[in-house]
């Protein structure tokens, strides 16, 4: 377990001045649960970095109606058991009133019951379909801050990436809640159509050699391959193996492969892959350029999809805090989030909308299609 406590210098200065005058600093504690180690670290580290940068910026700008934020971060280690421990410790030992994260869908599913029990909202930057299933008792306390797999897979089909000549589909998916739910949904979407799932092959998140998996897919003779993985190393391992064994079918990736660590790990094997995702650091929108300035000012380099979905979670917490009168509690943040709709104040393109009936937040107006050419992401217009 690795907990790191970080407080902005200005927060400390304000608290010191108020203490000297006998006043009490109005500090709100927010938790962050991220995969800072393990297979999802290339995703979790940039999430952590952008959230820290935005907290520092908000404290410096005094943009939260006089509130200051303490961000307390916990490493889930790409492990759902650790995510649950993080939630427990952040809430019970540190008294956080909201949590951004965890990085992984399986981590969110493990942490959500604890958040519910303690009335702390969880802003989850994951595509895993089941995290916002209303059959979950914890549903009222989980808000998604990334496109769901339902949205992305539907857009993959809608945008014509599976063209009329693609009748035989193979799927490579990671062995966790994200991969399994996405694979199941893709199967459901092809039922009753002339599209056949000819192979569905899974791999653990920490897999390094996917030669056997790629061979199985090649032997199924697909017209197109759907790559359902959020971990850059796993996605890169598959596309390298696909090239090695001679898979000629086009590969379509979903969402979170739109990031620099995937390109760095996959090298030339990533050429030609198409991805339905959000944002493109090689061709950023105006809002994304603003986020890039925050990242660079913090001494970091933009990495990809992770900063966008990470930024949305903390920005939505900020907006809820701005709208709350009096004491800020987890219950008030949760209730206020459900009133925020048609909101364009985040760094993600499109509008954010939550309500008492749905906690998805992100819709098709946030999505773009990109392809990889010459080691860069190219937006498909």
């Amino acid at each position: 377990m690795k907990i790191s406590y970080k407080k902005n210098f200005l927060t400390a200065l304000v608290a010191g001045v108020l203490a000297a005058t006998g006043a009490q600093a109005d500090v709100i504690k927010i938790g962050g649960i991220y995969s800072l180690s393990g297979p999802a670290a290339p995703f979790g580290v940039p999430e952590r970095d952008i959230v820290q940068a935005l907290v520092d910026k908000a404290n410096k700008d005094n943009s939260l109606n006089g509130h200051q934020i303490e961000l307390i971060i916990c490493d889930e280690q790409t492990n759902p058991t650790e995510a649950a421990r993080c939630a427990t410790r952040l809430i019970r030992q540190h008294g956080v009133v909201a949590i951004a994260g965890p990085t992984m869908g399986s981590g969110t599913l493990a942490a959500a019951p604890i958040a519910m029990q303690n009335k702390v909202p969880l802003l989850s930057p994951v595509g895993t379909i089941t995290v916002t299933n209303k059959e979950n008792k914890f549903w009222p306390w989980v808000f998604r801050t990334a496109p769901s797999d339902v949205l992305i897979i539907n857009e993959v089909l809608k945008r014509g990436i599976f063209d009329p000549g693609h009748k035989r589909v193979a799927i490579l998916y990671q062995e966790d809640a994200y991969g399994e739910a996405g694979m199941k949904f893709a199967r459901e979407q092809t039922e009753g159509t002339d599209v056949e799932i000819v192979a569905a092959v899974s791999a653990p998140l920490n897999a390094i050699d996917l030669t056997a998996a790629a061979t199985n897919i090649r032997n199924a003779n697909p017209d197109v391959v759907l790559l359902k993985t959020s971990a850059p190393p796993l996605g890169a391992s598959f596309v390298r193996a696909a090239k090695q064994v001679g898979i000629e079918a086009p590969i379509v990736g979903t969402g979170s492969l739109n990031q620099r660590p995937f390109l760095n790990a996959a090298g030339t094997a990533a050429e030609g892959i198409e991805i339905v995702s959000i944002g493109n650091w090689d061709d950023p929108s105006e809002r994304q350029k603003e986020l890039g300035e925050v990242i660079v000012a913090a001494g970091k380099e933009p990495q990809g999809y992770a900063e966008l979905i990470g930024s949305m979670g903390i920005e939505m917490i900020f907006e809820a805090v701005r709208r709350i009168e009096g004491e800020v509690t987890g219950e008030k943040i949760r209730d206020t989030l459900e009133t925020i709709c048609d909101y364009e104040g985040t760094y993600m393109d499109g509008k954010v909308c939550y309500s008492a009936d749905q906690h998805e937040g992100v819709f098709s107006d946030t999505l773009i299609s990109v392809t990889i050419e010459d080691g860069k992401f190219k937006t498909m217009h």
Side-chain angles (χ1 to χ4, degrees):
M1 170 70 62
K2 181 170 69 175
I3 293 270
S4 63
Y5 171 82
K6 298 186 177 182
K7 183 184 284 187
N8 177 274
F9 171 76
L10 182 62
T11 306
L13 180 61
V14 171
V17 170
L18 291 174
T21 61
Q24 185 175 359
D26 188 8
V27 176
I28 299 170
K29 294 182 179 181
I30 303 297
I33 302 177
Y34 303 110
S35 295
L36 305 182
S37 56
F43 214 63
V45 170
E47 285 178 336
R48 183 271 318 268
D49 289 347
I50 191 55
V51 170
Q52 182 67 65
L54 289 170
V55 166
D56 291 345
K57 184 177 186 297
N59 285 339
K60 181 179 178 181
D61 295 345
N62 195 25
S63 62
L64 301 176
N65 295 339
H67 299 292
Q68 293 281 294
I69 301 293
E70 283 185 15
L71 178 64
I72 306 168
I73 295 172
C74 186
D75 180 10
E76 70 168 356
Q77 303 174 35
T78 319
N79 183 326
T81 300
E82 292 301 325
R85 289 174 180 167
C86 282
T88 299
R89 191 165 183 179
L90 288 170
I91 294 169
R92 296 181 183 172
Q93 293 188 19
H94 295 276
V96 303
V97 295
I99 294 174
T103 295
M104 301 298 292
S106 53
T108 297
L109 292 170
I114 298 163
M116 175 193 69
Q117 291 166 10
N118 293 276
K119 298 182 179 180
V120 171
L122 199 66
L123 286 93
S124 177
V126 303
T128 306
I129 295 170
T130 50
V131 302
T132 51
N133 187 329
K134 290 185 179 180
E135 294 181 1
N136 298 326
K137 290 184 178 179
F138 57 72
W139 177 85
W141 295 93
V142 177
F143 295 80
R144 194 190 302 274
T145 68
S148 76
D149 255 14
V150 169
L151 177 64
I152 287 186
I153 292 173
N154 276 331
E155 287 296 314
V156 165
L157 299 171
K158 179 179 177 181
R159 293 173 185 230
I161 291 178
F162 291 145
D163 67 30
H166 295 164
K167 304 297 184 184
R168 298 171 58 81
V169 179
I171 304 174
L172 186 285
Y173 64 98
Q174 66 191 41
E175 294 174 357
D176 68 357
Y178 169 80
E180 291 164 6
M183 181 274 294
K184 180 181 178 182
F185 183 73
R187 280 190 179 279
E188 292 171 352
Q189 293 303 100
T190 59
E191 290 178 0
T193 72
D194 58 355
V195 175
E196 179 187 3
I197 305 294
V198 295
V201 181
S202 67
L205 273 171
N206 59 357
I208 297 174
D209 184 357
L210 292 184
T211 304
T215 300
N216 287 340
I217 286 177
R218 181 200 64 195
N219 292 345
N221 191 30
D223 298 321
V224 65
V225 179
L226 177 61
L227 180 52
K228 282 295 306 155
T229 173
S230 62
L234 181 59
S237 294
F238 176 74
V239 298
R240 291 197 306 267
K243 186 173 183 179
Q244 179 182 349
V245 304
I247 292 178
E248 297 182 357
I251 297 175
V252 181
T254 55
S256 49
L257 291 182
N258 180 15
Q259 52 183 324
R260 181 57 54 181
F262 171 68
L263 288 184
N264 292 343
T268 59
E271 288 292 302
I273 291 177
E274 297 177 359
I275 303 169
V276 172
S277 187
I278 57 173
N280 180 2
W281 287 116
D282 292 325
D283 181 21
S285 66
E286 291 305 311
R287 285 200 217 172
Q288 196 174 353
K289 287 177 183 177
E290 293 179 12
L291 184 63
E293 291 173 1
V294 175
I295 295 170
V296 172
K300 306 293 182 179
E301 290 293 328
Q303 296 297 309
Y305 183 96
E307 291 102 338
L308 285 163
I309 59 176
S311 71
M312 179 179 157
I314 196 66
E315 288 289 333
M316 295 311 294
I317 293 174
F318 290 167
E319 183 59 20
V321 168
R322 292 186 188 102
R323 299 186 184 198
I324 292 172
E325 295 183 3
E327 181 186 6
V328 175
T329 65
E331 287 184 272
K332 286 185 178 180
I333 291 175
R334 195 213 76 84
D335 292 347
T336 303
L337 285 169
E338 288 191 337
T339 70
I340 301 176
C341 191
D342 290 334
Y343 181 67
E344 298 183 84
T346 73
Y347 294 100
M348 287 175 56
D349 291 318
K351 296 179 179 180
V352 178
C353 185
Y354 294 121
S355 73
D357 294 323
Q358 68 84 23
H359 288 183
E360 292 301 325
V362 179
F363 302 94
S364 59
D365 58 354
T366 68
L367 297 180
I368 62 172
S369 298
V370 298
T371 188
I372 298 171
E373 291 185 6
D374 299 323
K376 293 184 178 181
F377 293 106
K378 180 179 178 181
T379 302
M380 300 168 67
H381 298 287

